[in-house]
Amino acid sequence: MESIKVFAPATVANVACGFDIFGFAVDNPGDELILKKSDRKGVRINRIEGDEGRLPLAAEKNTAGIAIIKFLEFIGEDGQGFEMDLKKLMPLGSGLGSSAASSVAGVFAANELMGRPLSQKDLLPFAMEGERIACGSAHADNVGPSLMGGFVVIRSYEPLDIIQLKTPQELYATIVHPHIEVNTKDARNILKREISLKNTITQMGNVAGLVAGLMLPDYDLISRSLVDVIIEPIRSILIPQFDDVKNAALENGALGCSISGSGPSMFALSKDLFTANRVGKAMQDGFAKVGIGSECYVSGINQAGPVVLG
Amino acid sequence: MESIKVFAPATVANVACGFDIFGFAVDNPGDELILKKSDRKGVRINRIEGDEGRLPLAAEKNTAGIAIIKFLEFIGEDGQGFEMDLKKLMPLGSGLGSSAASSVAGVFAANELMGRPLSQKDLLPFAMEGERIACGSAHADNVGPSLMGGFVVIRSYEPLDIIQLKTPQELYATIVHPHIEVNTKDARNILKREISLKNTITQMGNVAGLVAGLMLPDYDLISRSLVDVIIEPIRSILIPQFDDVKNAALENGALGCSISGSGPSMFALSKDLFTANRVGKAMQDGFAKVGIGSECYVSGINQAGPVVLG
């Protein structure tokens, strides 16, 4: 195979109570990437669509590029050349794991073209290198679910220990991306470095409840557990209309609603597609009240991770 | 029915990573309690065995007594008199939920004698009142599992939200009670009130991992998740030989080993009875090296909670 077109899904990290440990993938949006073998050594990015010119074309500075470079080094094939076209089908800096989707698409495509020397799970460290370039730290709560699909728990970073949870089929995600910008680094810097023991206990209870709720499954338990007393109270300040939008989601039947990753996108979970759509409309209306436009994405929990499109 | 004899199980609270949110019941040890209806109004404690004279005989100061009094008030039957005999079959102040087992035995017996006006789960608030008398706070991580059996998650205290998890049948608990004393209030007072965000994240990962590990079941995951970076490093200082005893448990095949409740008892989990027994021997040897005697209890995870003996 000389050329491949792949899709990698966007992701919701943190999922209310699970800062840095929970994430899930969605069917829509995501990134498309075309990778071609080349006789010229090195990785070259020909074209990036949908980024409004904001992403670097230099491979070693690009999240997909660096993931491929690190992968080729690891398998001892850094003599192999590649050309890449990237199509961003989601907003950048939106809290939907845009950089993770690109990293995953890149390393997944390269592994396919090289005849799958590594298993899909073993591609994770290379995709995480992409995150390091994009965010300054090699976190896994976006690349994990984007690469593996489903709902994942990052139990540990050192050593990396990722667990995939089965989620109920009727669970739907609504994501609303308001047209405002929050820088990921800023969103991390405003967090408190010390948490009260009381809030830690509350959060642990919700973490345990959400895992049990998803596995049983028990929708009421999922709903009661989608509560974040540590991060949301701080980061929500950066999102205008946060309380209104969240309340609108809950009043329209969402199981829970919080910030997607470091924001500004917000997500909700619902137990059927009809509710998930209604919730999306209500959330968009909440932003529109103060003149903030938004996109809305509704999908099931993506179970496949990256896929070959052609 | 005029008289009843019941048993309520001892419990391991916290379970390494789950401070104040996890607890499980064991088949052995526990408390036996005989309750008889009486024509004289009020609850009278005739006799307590096995407490070396340390527990109060005044019903309103006794954990079992107060639980029964609060229960009778709630159901509007505080005119009903009771006489009680309590047989402590476990050490006091040992970190095995001694006060919780007495509370649960008392309120369970009273509910039976009154014709079960309340469901077993609804007895929890009255048993928690017993804990308030004994420990100064109405915590639920011992009374929850003692009353409901199995492995429980206290997702929330306000409102009280307790989830029961199925545990694998091959899971065995080893409990070793060294002959030293740790006061529960002291064990709480030495804890830090602020936790680093980093440790909170690590602990949340282990909480999620332990719930998933028990439910899947996945013994390796259970083992990797039985890690406590918040409480154990502080409380273990109060237990001589802690590191030696823990290492002995792990070297002999335990999935994990930590402090039971606020100590000084230590527990281990193992994936078969043979290992659980070997682990117990090794843990006792660890204490014996410095001349500390101990009792060892090995049992499966109790699934029944309190039972009627006759």
Side-chain angles (χ1 to χ4, degrees):
Chain A
M1 197 160 44
E2 293 300 307
S3 167
I4 196 169
K5 184 178 179 182
V6 304
F7 169 86
T11 42
V12 171
N14 300 348
V15 198
C17 52
F19 180 66
D20 272 6
I21 68 158
F22 287 156
F24 66 80
V26 290
D27 289 333
N28 174 37
D31 275 3
E32 282 181 18
L33 185 143
I34 296 170
L35 197 67
K36 284 180 198 160
K37 281 188 181 171
S38 156
D39 294 335
R40 251 175 76 203
K41 188 180 164 175
V43 177
R44 271 171 304 283
I45 303 175
N46 291 329
R47 185 185 155 89
I48 303 180
E49 271 182 71
D51 70 330
E52 295 163 358
R54 289 162 58 193
L55 295 178
L57 287 167
E60 69 281 0
K61 291 184 181 169
N62 179 285
T63 170
I66 197 76
I68 297 174
I69 290 167
K70 295 284 177 184
F71 162 74
L72 291 174
E73 281 173 9
F74 181 82
I75 63 167
E77 294 277 6
D78 48 349
Q80 176 65 52
F82 280 113
E83 289 183 25
M84 183 204 302
D85 282 21
L86 178 60
K87 198 170 176 180
K88 300 292 306 174
L89 297 175
M90 68 171 112
L92 272 65
S94 57
L96 298 179
S98 169
S99 58
S102 295
S103 295
V104 166
V107 74
F108 173 74
N111 192 49
E112 291 291 309
L113 286 186
M114 296 307 288
R116 289 193 205 166
L118 296 185
S119 74
Q120 200 149 317
K121 197 173 176 174
D122 289 337
L123 300 177
L124 198 66
F126 312 109
M128 285 171 71
E129 285 303 315
E131 286 292 74
R132 195 192 299 280
I133 293 285
C135 318
S137 73
H139 62 103
D141 50 353
N142 290 112
V143 283
S146 183
L147 182 65
M148 295 163 68
F151 189 107
V152 307
V153 177
I154 297 112
R155 192 199 61 80
S156 157
Y157 277 84
E158 288 178 24
L160 194 60
D161 185 5
I162 297 199
I163 306 139
Q164 208 173 2
L165 300 185
K166 248 186 106 166
T167 52
Q169 279 197 334
E170 302 74 20
L171 197 63
Y172 283 82
T174 304
I175 296 171
V176 173
H177 169 239
H179 296 159
I180 53 173
E181 280 216 16
V182 172
N183 182 292
T184 302
K185 283 181 194 167
D186 291 348
R188 280 193 99 83
N189 288 338
I190 61 165
L191 298 178
K192 292 184 184 156
R193 298 288 145 215
E194 300 278 315
I195 314 296
S196 72
L197 180 58
K198 185 169 179 288
N199 276 349
T200 298
I201 294 166
T202 302
Q203 199 87 347
M204 292 195 307
N206 287 324
V207 162
L210 185 54
V211 172
L214 290 168
M215 292 180 77
L216 284 169
D218 177 334
Y219 288 101
D220 283 342
L221 178 54
I222 291 171
S223 181
R224 297 196 301 276
S225 305
L226 283 169
V227 175
D228 175 8
V229 298
I230 293 180
I231 306 298
E232 184 183 295
I234 297 171
R235 282 194 173 160
S236 59
I237 296 163
L238 301 175
I239 303 173
Q241 291 296 97
F242 177 85
D243 290 340
D244 277 9
V245 171
K246 178 173 174 169
N247 289 337
L250 298 178
E251 282 163 14
N252 280 275
L255 298 168
C257 174
S258 187
I259 305 165
S260 177
S262 52
S265 292
M266 293 174 64
F267 79 97
L269 289 173
S270 299
K271 67 179 159 187
D272 61 68
L273 182 57
F274 178 81
T275 305
N277 279 315
R278 186 175 61 200
V279 163
K281 175 76 173 58
M283 290 171 71
Q284 286 194 286
D285 287 349
F287 283 117
K289 269 185 203 161
V290 294
I292 299 174
S294 62
E295 288 103 34
C296 178
Y297 308 93
V298 174
S299 86
I301 307 298
N302 174 300
Q303 301 294 343
V307 288
V308 176
L309 295 178
Chain B
M1 197 161 42
E2 293 301 307
S3 167
I4 196 169
K5 184 178 179 182
V6 304
F7 169 87
T11 42
V12 171
N14 299 348
V15 198
C17 52
F19 180 66
D20 273 5
I21 69 157
F22 287 157
F24 65 81
V26 290
D27 290 332
N28 173 38
D31 275 3
E32 281 180 18
L33 185 144
I34 296 170
L35 197 67
K36 284 180 199 159
K37 281 188 180 171
S38 157
D39 294 334
R40 248 177 76 202
K41 189 181 161 173
V43 177
R44 272 169 304 284
I45 302 174
N46 291 329
R47 184 184 155 88
I48 302 179
E49 271 182 71
D51 70 329
E52 296 163 356
R54 289 162 59 193
L55 294 179
L57 286 167
E60 69 281 2
K61 291 185 180 167
N62 180 285
T63 169
I66 196 76
I68 297 174
I69 290 168
K70 295 285 177 185
F71 163 74
L72 291 174
E73 282 172 9
F74 181 82
I75 63 167
E77 295 277 6
D78 47 349
Q80 175 66 52
F82 281 113
E83 290 184 25
M84 183 203 304
D85 282 22
L86 179 61
K87 199 169 176 181
K88 301 292 306 174
L89 298 174
M90 70 170 110
L92 271 66
S94 57
L96 298 178
S98 169
S99 57
S102 296
S103 297
V104 166
V107 75
F108 173 74
N111 192 48
E112 292 291 309
L113 285 186
M114 297 306 289
R116 288 193 205 167
L118 296 185
S119 74
Q120 200 149 318
K121 197 172 177 174
D122 289 337
L123 299 175
L124 197 67
F126 313 109
M128 285 172 72
E129 285 302 315
E131 287 292 73
R132 194 192 298 281
I133 293 286
C135 318
S137 72
H139 62 102
D141 50 353
N142 290 112
V143 283
S146 183
L147 181 65
M148 295 163 68
F151 190 106
V152 306
V153 176
I154 298 111
R155 192 199 61 81
S156 157
Y157 277 84
E158 288 177 26
L160 194 61
D161 185 5
I162 298 200
I163 306 139
Q164 208 173 4
L165 300 185
K166 250 186 105 165
T167 52
Q169 280 198 332
E170 302 75 19
L171 198 63
Y172 283 83
T174 305
I175 296 170
V176 173
H177 170 239
H179 296 158
I180 53 172
E181 281 214 17
V182 171
N183 181 290
T184 302
K185 283 181 194 167
D186 291 349
R188 280 194 99 83
N189 288 338
I190 61 165
L191 298 179
K192 291 184 185 156
R193 300 286 145 215
E194 300 278 316
I195 314 297
S196 72
L197 180 60
K198 184 168 179 287
N199 276 349
T200 298
I201 294 166
T202 302
Q203 199 87 348
M204 291 195 306
N206 287 323
V207 161
L210 185 53
V211 172
L214 290 169
M215 291 179 77
L216 284 169
D218 177 335
Y219 289 101
D220 284 341
L221 179 54
I222 291 171
S223 181
R224 298 197 301 276
S225 305
L226 283 169
V227 174
D228 175 9
V229 297
I230 293 180
I231 306 297
E232 185 184 296
I234 297 171
R235 281 194 173 159
S236 60
I237 297 162
L238 301 175
I239 303 173
Q241 291 296 96
F242 178 86
D243 290 341
D244 276 10
V245 171
K246 177 172 174 168
N247 289 337
L250 298 178
E251 281 162 14
N252 279 276
L255 298 169
C257 174
S258 186
I259 304 165
S260 177
S262 51
S265 292
M266 292 175 65
F267 81 96
L269 289 173
S270 298
K271 69 178 157 186
D272 60 69
L273 181 57
F274 179 82
T275 305
N277 279 314
R278 187 175 59 200
V279 163
K281 176 76 173 56
M283 290 171 72
Q284 287 194 285
D285 287 350
F287 283 118
K289 269 186 203 162
V290 294
I292 297 174
S294 62
E295 290 103 33
C296 179
Y297 307 92
V298 174
S299 85
I301 307 297
N302 174 300
Q303 301 294 344
V307 287
V308 176
L309 294 178

